[in-house]
């Protein structure tokens, strides 16, 4: 059996651990493995090469992805889909393991549902917003980075009696903001799930100052909804092939910091963590999660259980239908947001 493996979308720590696990389990079964370079672009372009044991040696702890990644969507054009299917056959692939988030897995779902391509998914995204799995590869490392940043910012905010707004990633779901904010002791959190208000946060900061807390840390998800701040996606430039704009161009954190200073008189600063959240070595949790999911993906291939992804539910790795996994976005539970509000 010849198995192709790809990593699509944004990179996260833990991808190489997953690639390694897919390859090593495959080799045990005597399968050949092919590296599909740069996500689905590799299948479109025929950029597919053998993946050897030496290539996956020593990469467990390394961030990024040795396969490369892209946001190419084959379904943007019927001719591109046709070429992708031809390349699947031409390179003698028997199955593809697609490691990615909602967009990458969405493409895998369509290939399986519409063209019966034998695919298996592995959920990866620092946003942690894939339905059916409790954790996605990269999330734990991202929130660990956010927590570490908040720990550092607390000391400088305290020293200068400032409000510091920390902008984190999260387009449709606020998992990074909520979990990172909870662990890092944030004093207020804005997320995409719950519409926030500048009036409310400013009143909260004033109350803190009156009670003797002369500094504050505010976490803002880049996709957060804030009542007094409107924006148009057209203002943010071109969309990618999956219809997403670059939310960093929105400058939400800087806007919130500026408004807090204007409305309260408290000196404010903004820190945009950006790609720091998806860089560096994976945490212990992400290394083990990626390893378990990668190995399980090959078990699904071995069993001929295509159209599924390997999912972590509780402490068990189980099969979960790709069609259901890509039917929407897993957003933050209201109960978790209310827990965070306890500390606002």
């Amino acid at each position: 059996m010849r198995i192709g493996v790809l990593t699509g979308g944004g990179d996260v720590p833990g991808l190489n651990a997953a690639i390694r696990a897919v390859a090593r389990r495959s080799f045990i079964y005597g399968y050949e493995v092919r590296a599909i370079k740069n996500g689905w672009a590799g299948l479109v372009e025929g950029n597919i090469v053998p993946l050897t044991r030496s290539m996956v040696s020593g990469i467990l702890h390394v961030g990024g992805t040795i396969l490369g990644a892209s946001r190419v969507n084959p379904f943007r054009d019927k001719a591109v889909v046709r070429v992708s299917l031809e390349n699947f056959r031409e390179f003698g692939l028997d199955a593809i393991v697609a490691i990615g988030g909602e967009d990458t897995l969405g493409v895998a779902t369509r290939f399986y549902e519409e063209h019966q391509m034998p695919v298996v998914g592995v959920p990866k995204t620092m946003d942690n917003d894939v339905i059916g799995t409790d954790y996605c590869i990269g999330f734990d490392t991202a929130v660990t980075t956010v927590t570490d940043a908040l720990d550092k910012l607390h000391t400088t905010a305290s020293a200068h009696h400032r409000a510091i707004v920390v902008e984190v990633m999260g387009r449709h779901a606020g998992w990074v903001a909520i979990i990172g904010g909870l662990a890092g002791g944030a004093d207020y959190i804005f997320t995409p799930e719950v519409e926030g208000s500048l009036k409310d946060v400013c009143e909260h900061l004033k109350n803190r100052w009156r009670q003797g807390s002369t500094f504050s840390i505010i976490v803002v998800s880049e996709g957060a909804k804030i009542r007094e701040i409107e924006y148009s996606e057209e203002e943010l430039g071109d969309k990618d092939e999956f219809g997403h704009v670059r939310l960093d161009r929105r400058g939400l954190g800087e806007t919130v910091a500026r408004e807090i200073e204007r409305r309260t008189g408290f000196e404010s600063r903004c820190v945009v963590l950006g790609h720091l959240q998806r860089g560096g070595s994976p945490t212990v949790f992400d290394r083990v999660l990626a390893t378990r999911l990668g190995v399980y993906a090959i078990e699904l291939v071995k069993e001929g259980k295509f159209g599924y992804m390997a999912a972590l539910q509780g402490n068990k790795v189980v099969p979960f239908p790709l069609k259901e996994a890509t039917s929407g976005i897993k957003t933050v539970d209201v109960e978790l947001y209310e827990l965070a509000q306890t500390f606002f």
Side-chain angles (χ1 to χ4, degrees):
M1 181 170 282
R2 181 176 292 172
I3 299 170
V5 58
L6 63 84
T7 53
D11 69 301
V12 297
L15 285 175
N16 284 326
I19 295 164
R20 171 180 176 267
V22 166
R24 293 289 291 272
R25 194 63 155 192
S26 296
F27 297 151
I28 287 173
Y29 290 137
Y31 300 161
E32 294 180 10
V33 183
R34 294 292 183 267
I36 302 173
K37 307 300 286 291
N38 304 320
W40 291 111
L43 188 63
V44 174
E45 300 163 1
N47 190 359
I48 302 171
V49 298
L51 187 64
T52 64
R53 183 178 291 271
S54 63
M55 291 170 67
V56 298
S57 176
I59 66 172
L60 173 65
H61 66 288
V62 180
T65 165
I66 63 169
L67 301 183
S70 72
R71 298 188 185 278
V72 167
N73 179 9
F75 283 90
R76 69 186 185 275
D77 185 276
K78 289 182 179 179
V80 177
V81 172
R82 185 170 60 252
V83 169
S84 301
L85 295 170
E86 290 172 355
N87 282 333
F88 180 86
R89 291 188 292 269
E90 182 178 332
F91 284 87
L93 299 178
D94 296 298
I96 288 179
V97 175
I99 308 170
E102 56 167 318
D103 295 327
T104 300
L105 297 180
V107 171
T109 303
R110 292 192 65 179
F111 271 129
Y112 176 74
E113 296 288 336
E114 299 174 21
H115 301 281
Q116 293 73 56
M117 181 184 287
V119 296
V120 167
V122 173
K124 169 272 342 171
T125 171
M126 56 164 289
D127 288 344
N128 202 43
D129 58 1
V130 176
I131 294 171
T133 186
D134 292 340
Y135 284 88
C136 298
I137 298 169
F139 173 66
D140 186 73
T141 306
V143 292
T144 299
T145 297
V146 171
T147 302
D148 182 61
L150 297 190
D151 288 347
K152 290 179 169 65
L153 290 170
H154 265 93
T155 58
T156 185
S158 173
H160 293 277
H161 313 292
R162 289 171 174 157
I164 294 186
V165 177
V166 183
E167 182 181 311
V168 301
M169 289 183 173
R171 182 178 297 274
H172 301 297
W175 291 101
V176 173
I178 288 290
I179 300 300
L182 269 170
D187 302 300
Y188 207 90
I189 303 172
F190 287 103
T191 75
E193 290 88 351
V194 179
E195 185 179 64
S197 166
L198 288 172
K199 178 182 177 183
D200 290 346
V201 71
C202 289
E203 190 58 42
H204 175 63
L205 298 188
K206 289 176 183 178
N207 286 335
R208 283 178 50 79
W209 255 265
R210 284 192 287 266
Q211 294 167 11
S213 297
T214 59
F215 72 95
S216 296
I217 302 292
I218 301 95
V219 174
V220 179
S221 184
E222 63 182 354
K225 299 180 180 69
I226 300 178
R227 194 170 302 128
E228 298 92 336
I229 301 175
E230 296 182 0
Y231 82 102
S232 168
E233 289 195 348
E234 285 69 29
E235 300 171 358
L236 303 182
D238 296 335
K239 297 181 179 181
D240 65 20
E241 294 187 8
F242 291 95
H244 302 313
V245 295
R246 280 181 47 182
L247 287 179
D248 63 304
R249 291 174 175 165
R250 186 183 178 194
L252 184 59
E254 182 61 44
T255 301
V256 171
R258 189 167 55 247
E259 282 297 306
I260 286 175
E261 185 164 312
R262 185 180 72 83
R263 291 167 181 248
T264 65
F266 304 141
E267 187 178 357
S268 302
R269 293 287 189 275
C270 172
V271 175
V272 180
L273 295 183
H275 288 74
L276 284 171
Q277 297 160 89
R278 60 181 357 135
S281 297
T283 58
V284 170
F285 184 90
D286 269 332
R287 295 181 196 199
V288 175
L289 175 65
T291 299
R292 294 180 70 189
L293 296 183
V295 166
Y296 194 81
I298 297 305
E299 295 302 315
L300 292 176
V301 171
K302 184 172 182 287
E303 296 169 9
K305 204 173 180 66
F306 300 114
Y308 285 82
M309 74 174 187
L312 182 71
Q313 296 183 356
N315 195 37
K316 298 288 186 182
V317 179
V318 300
F320 192 81
L322 278 172
K323 188 174 183 179
E324 188 174 346
T326 57
S327 63
I329 296 294
K330 182 184 73 174
T331 53
V332 174
D333 300 328
V334 174
E335 293 82 1
L336 193 57
Y337 183 79
E338 291 174 347
L339 171 65
Q341 283 183 309
T342 302
F343 305 95
F344 291 1

